[in-house]
Amino acid sequence: MAQKIKVVQCGLGFAGASLIRSMLLKRTVECVGAVDKYNGVGRDVGDVLGLGTETGIRVTDDIDEAVGGSKPDVWIEATQSKIVDIYPRVKKALSSGINVITLAEEFANPWYFEPELTKEIDAIAKKNNVTMVGTGFNPGLWLDVWPFFLSGCVYHIDKIKIQYMSDLSPYGRSPDVVKNYGFGLKPAEIEGSLKNGSDKSSKGTIGIIHNLAGCLGFELSDVRVRVRPLISTVRQDFSPVVVIEPGEIHGSMVDAYGICNGKEIIEIHKGACCKPSLEVPGFGEEPHTEAVIEIVGEPNLKSSLSLKSENGWSTTAPRLLNWIPFIMKAKPGLLTDLRDFPLMGAIY
Amino acid sequence: MAQKIKVVQCGLGFAGASLIRSMLLKRTVECVGAVDKYNGVGRDVGDVLGLGTETGIRVTDDIDEAVGGSKPDVWIEATQSKIVDIYPRVKKALSSGINVITLAEEFANPWYFEPELTKEIDAIAKKNNVTMVGTGFNPGLWLDVWPFFLSGCVYHIDKIKIQYMSDLSPYGRSPDVVKNYGFGLKPAEIEGSLKNGSDKSSKGTIGIIHNLAGCLGFELSDVRVRVRPLISTVRQDFSPVVVIEPGEIHGSMVDAYGICNGKEIIEIHKGACCKPSLEVPGFGEEPHTEAVIEIVGEPNLKSSLSLKSENGWSTTAPRLLNWIPFIMKAKPGLLTDLRDFPLMGAIY
């Protein structure tokens, strides 16, 4: 049997924990290290994650030890969203000849967020003959990769329309989510509290539109974005810390348009709220994520995708895991999910 | 501007005609030859296809002239379904240093249908440093590529279930379709007439199950297939040559199961009939193709795809066209859509 690919998991949050659980069941990859600053330093990862079994892998917060210790092939970075925040660890891993895969949001289209740092990371990877891949966090698949995949199935595209809705109700206990989305506030009160969330959502969505347009061969003259609060029409008593009354905010919607030759050629409506069935007809009551892509062109394609799991809604972590065999034979340098993912789109 | 990729289109049937129409609008590819045995030999292809404009490309049935004439980079073979039937042209093109892309059904999984000839074609391509790609005809995308793509978004798969239905009503005038599906016959009468269609459907579907299972890493112990007629409950007066009365056949359904370790891990229900709304709740009245994929695993994914076009329902021809830039830089030899398509699936 071929040797297993050795992986260090950095970040034992929600995604990191599920990645380790999955790796322990795989025949082709092996988790050889676990890194976290906060969770269970010094303890066995099986104990920290409540697996009911010892794994022999001790959680460390010593990056040098994790990089140098077990000669890993791949470093999975599942910690923060921003390139600047994860840069020191990424640099150390790449410089040590370790391939890196990350789900940091900004790495879905790093040239947009940090052009200089991105060039530097690409150079470090090339110099050390290794590869870095940014898969971007959810909705990387939903708003980028899946529409691009479908674009490879048509002759030409007049417009792509994407509607995406995720269910926030399971996050009702998280103070960050409550604050970012302004749960329970009146529309007039959102100035301060919704603003952070709005800015982040709209910048992310602008990045997605530029990225998708570039890959599809559209030259955009303009991107228009609007963030609006979603207002509940019913009382929602869904968590011990949050009650939302009728007329109060229970989420937000980003409406974004990519303009090419005066026409809207990409249209994204990306929503997240506590009770999506109020906003999307037919959306079920169980927490899940749902999206619909329409490609208006020749031929017309319409595709829906919905995801349900007891352990969360993201497809990003599994996609990241499935990248592992590919990164081992990929060309050196910084790749991204959409531009360098082994996938084809429409040609022009 | 980079030089356009030169393409010869062999076969001016439905797919071939739409491929040429699309190529004439592209900036990156150029049609430099048109080959057909029956349609418009000696005439300008613009005239033959009713484009209302001269293209300067004259339809030829002289394969040597087409292969040698305009130094094409790519040969598109969109004629017949069977490997043995297209082999002579494929061999000539590959031997002349031309890459080949085909939608011939058997080329989706050629090792299953013609293992010896497949080895030979692979060797010829490698010897001449060119690539051949089989995309397979519809439902290549629907039953193979799309489920495989989705498999790359989950940690593990317990089962894949695929339901596919295509609308045959636009083919009501075709004697072949009428005969193959047994339109207007009673279930008791199908012995001779449905049999041909059934055999072809079931062999094709067995090929798909083996192909998908192999790519997903499942070792099948058994494949079970059943073909059943679909019986209309209403009078269907949909074409001048066919009337179907209640109780008469209006299509067929292939139910196929791939068994691994005693469990059904792949389940395909592939139907085609004149009035799909009778068979699938919610299926609209306009002719189109619809499918639903469910991945039962971690997480659970459910995706639907529907395709409508005034010019037909297949995604195969556009996908074939979008392969052109990839084949120019692909490794030499025989590739297939699913095994060598730049796409990743679940790892094990």
Side-chain angles (χ1 to χ4, degrees):
Chain A
M1 205 183 108
Q3 219 173 349
K4 288 186 172 190
I5 300 168
K6 292 181 177 178
V7 182
V8 164
Q9 174 59 45
C10 181
L12 296 183
F14 185 81
S18 65
L19 281 162
I20 286 187
R21 270 189 218 102
S22 180
M23 274 190 266
L24 293 172
L25 301 170
K26 298 287 177 188
R27 297 192 302 264
T28 50
V29 297
E30 180 184 12
C31 181
V32 296
V35 182
D36 205 287
K37 259 174 36 181
Y38 312 106
N39 294 312
V41 177
R43 286 162 56 204
D44 188 280
V45 78
D47 175 29
V48 176
L49 303 183
L51 303 178
T53 173
E54 294 261 312
T55 63
I57 306 161
R58 210 153 288 280
V59 179
T60 180
D61 58 355
D62 182 335
I63 305 297
D64 290 317
E65 185 194 315
V67 165
S70 44
K71 299 202 183 305
D73 304 298
V74 177
W75 180 277
I76 294 183
E77 178 73 31
T79 53
Q80 290 154 291
S81 299
K82 287 179 182 294
I83 293 169
V84 288
D85 292 334
I86 69 169
Y87 175 72
R89 287 187 296 280
V90 165
K91 184 179 176 182
K92 190 162 282 186
L94 293 174
S95 303
S96 306
I98 306 171
N99 300 287
V100 174
I101 311 179
T102 184
L103 47 64
E105 267 122 323
E106 288 191 350
F107 266 107
N109 187 7
W111 299 275
Y112 174 74
F113 293 101
E114 299 283 352
E116 289 308 313
L117 219 46
T118 298
K119 263 189 243 168
E120 205 175 307
I121 290 167
D122 183 49
I124 296 169
K126 282 179 176 146
K127 190 179 157 199
N128 291 282
N129 203 30
V130 287
T131 307
M132 167 150 194
V133 174
T135 62
F137 197 59
N138 202 13
L141 168 71
W142 306 72
L143 305 194
D144 283 347
V145 178
W146 179 37
F148 187 65
F149 169 73
L150 292 175
S151 84
C153 307
V154 302
Y155 280 125
H156 78 261
I157 298 163
D158 292 321
K159 183 174 190 166
I160 293 191
K161 186 176 174 184
I162 304 168
Q163 292 170 280
Y164 171 90
M165 179 60 83
S166 70
D167 190 332
L168 292 174
S169 57
Y171 304 105
R173 302 179 79 106
S174 158
D176 275 357
V177 171
V178 170
K179 191 179 156 212
N180 278 340
Y181 286 92
F183 285 0
L185 295 176
K186 295 262 188 316
E189 298 173 282
I190 60 172
E191 283 308 307
S193 55
L194 184 61
K195 208 166 171 285
N196 292 331
S198 312
D199 287 354
K200 198 175 158 190
S201 305
S202 61
K203 198 174 178 199
T205 311
I206 293 170
I208 287 167
I209 288 212
H210 279 295
N211 200 19
L212 187 57
C215 293
L216 290 171
F218 290 124
E219 277 179 37
L220 297 183
S221 54
D222 195 12
V223 175
R224 289 180 204 141
V225 181
R226 180 176 63 138
V227 184
R228 55 188 161 102
L230 297 173
I231 313 300
S232 186
T233 53
V234 298
R235 181 186 159 92
Q236 297 185 42
D237 196 5
F238 60 84
S239 102
V241 296
V242 184
V243 174
I244 296 170
E245 301 289 347
E248 290 179 351
I249 290 167
H250 77 133
S252 72
M253 174 69 79
V254 183
D255 302 301
Y257 304 87
I259 318 288
C260 175
N261 294 329
K263 279 188 205 156
E264 292 169 355
I265 52 108
I266 300 177
E267 185 177 333
I268 296 180
H269 304 280
K270 177 173 170 276
C273 69
C274 300
K275 206 171 171 56
S277 56
L278 293 180
E279 309 293 336
V280 181
F283 202 104
E285 290 295 326
E286 268 180 274
H288 66 296
T289 300
E290 241 182 62
V292 178
I293 311 272
E294 284 180 73
I295 297 191
V296 182
E298 183 50 46
N300 290 305
L301 276 184
K302 188 170 179 174
S303 186
S304 73
L305 183 61
S306 82
L307 183 151
K308 287 182 200 181
S309 165
E310 287 177 15
N311 298 313
W313 303 270
S314 173
T315 48
T316 307
R319 293 188 67 245
L320 184 160
L321 190 78
N322 291 324
W323 254 105
I324 292 174
F326 284 83
I327 203 175
M328 297 296 291
K329 36 185 183 172
K331 62 180 180 181
L334 173 61
L335 310 181
T336 66
D337 218 9
L338 191 56
R339 281 175 201 266
D340 306 287
F341 179 64
L343 189 75
M344 62 186 188
I347 61 164
Y348 286 87
Chain B
M1 205 183 108
Q3 219 174 348
K4 288 187 171 189
I5 300 168
K6 293 181 176 180
V7 182
V8 164
Q9 174 58 46
C10 180
L12 296 183
F14 184 81
S18 64
L19 280 162
I20 286 188
R21 268 188 220 104
S22 181
M23 274 191 268
L24 293 172
L25 301 171
K26 298 286 178 189
R27 297 191 303 263
T28 51
V29 298
E30 180 184 13
C31 181
V32 297
V35 182
D36 204 287
K37 262 181 23 189
Y38 311 105
N39 294 312
V41 176
R43 284 162 58 204
D44 188 280
V45 78
D47 173 30
V48 176
L49 303 183
L51 303 178
T53 174
E54 293 261 314
T55 62
I57 307 160
R58 209 153 288 282
V59 179
T60 180
D61 59 354
D62 182 335
I63 304 297
D64 289 318
E65 184 193 318
V67 164
S70 44
K71 300 205 181 307
D73 304 299
V74 177
W75 179 278
I76 295 182
E77 178 72 32
T79 53
Q80 291 155 290
S81 299
K82 287 180 181 294
I83 294 169
V84 288
D85 293 332
I86 70 170
Y87 175 72
R89 286 187 298 280
V90 165
K91 184 179 176 183
K92 191 162 281 187
L94 293 173
S95 303
S96 307
I98 306 171
N99 301 287
V100 174
I101 311 179
T102 184
L103 46 65
E105 267 121 322
E106 288 190 351
F107 265 106
N109 188 6
W111 298 276
Y112 174 75
F113 294 102
E114 299 284 352
E116 288 308 313
L117 219 45
T118 298
K119 262 189 243 169
E120 207 175 304
I121 290 168
D122 184 50
I124 295 170
K126 281 179 176 146
K127 190 179 158 201
N128 292 281
N129 203 31
V130 286
T131 307
M132 165 149 194
V133 174
T135 62
F137 197 59
N138 201 13
L141 167 72
W142 306 72
L143 305 194
D144 283 349
V145 178
W146 179 38
F148 187 64
F149 168 72
L150 292 175
S151 85
C153 306
V154 303
Y155 281 125
H156 78 262
I157 298 164
D158 291 321
K159 183 174 190 166
I160 292 192
K161 187 175 175 185
I162 303 168
Q163 292 170 282
Y164 171 90
M165 179 59 84
S166 69
D167 190 333
L168 292 174
S169 57
Y171 304 104
R173 300 179 81 106
S174 157
D176 275 357
V177 171
V178 171
K179 191 178 158 214
N180 277 342
Y181 285 92
F183 284 179
L185 295 174
K186 295 264 189 315
E189 298 172 284
I190 62 173
E191 282 308 305
S193 55
L194 184 61
K195 208 165 171 287
N196 291 331
S198 311
D199 287 354
K200 198 174 158 192
S201 306
S202 62
K203 197 175 177 199
T205 311
I206 293 170
I208 287 167
I209 289 211
H210 278 296
N211 200 20
L212 187 56
C215 292
L216 290 171
F218 290 124
E219 277 179 37
L220 297 182
S221 55
D222 195 11
V223 175
R224 289 182 203 137
V225 181
R226 180 177 64 136
V227 183
R228 56 189 160 99
L230 297 175
I231 314 300
S232 186
T233 53
V234 298
R235 180 187 161 92
Q236 298 185 41
D237 197 4
F238 60 84
S239 103
V241 297
V242 184
V243 174
I244 296 170
E245 300 289 346
E248 290 178 351
I249 289 167
H250 76 134
S252 71
M253 174 70 77
V254 183
D255 303 301
Y257 304 86
I259 317 290
C260 176
N261 294 329
K263 280 189 206 154
E264 293 169 355
I265 52 107
I266 300 179
E267 186 177 334
I268 295 181
H269 303 280
K270 177 173 169 279
C273 70
C274 300
K275 207 170 170 58
S277 55
L278 293 179
E279 309 292 338
V280 180
F283 203 102
E285 290 293 329
E286 268 179 273
H288 66 294
T289 299
E290 241 182 61
V292 178
I293 311 272
E294 284 180 74
I295 298 191
V296 182
E298 183 49 46
N300 290 306
L301 276 184
K302 187 170 180 176
S303 186
S304 72
L305 184 61
S306 81
L307 184 149
K308 285 182 199 179
S309 165
E310 287 178 13
N311 298 314
W313 302 268
S314 172
T315 48
T316 306
R319 294 187 69 245
L320 184 160
L321 190 77
N322 291 323
W323 254 105
I324 293 174
F326 284 83
I327 203 175
M328 296 296 292
K329 37 186 182 170
K331 62 181 180 181
L334 174 60
L335 310 181
T336 66
D337 217 9
L338 191 56
R339 281 174 201 267
D340 306 287
F341 178 63
L343 189 75
M344 63 185 189
I347 62 164
Y348 286 89

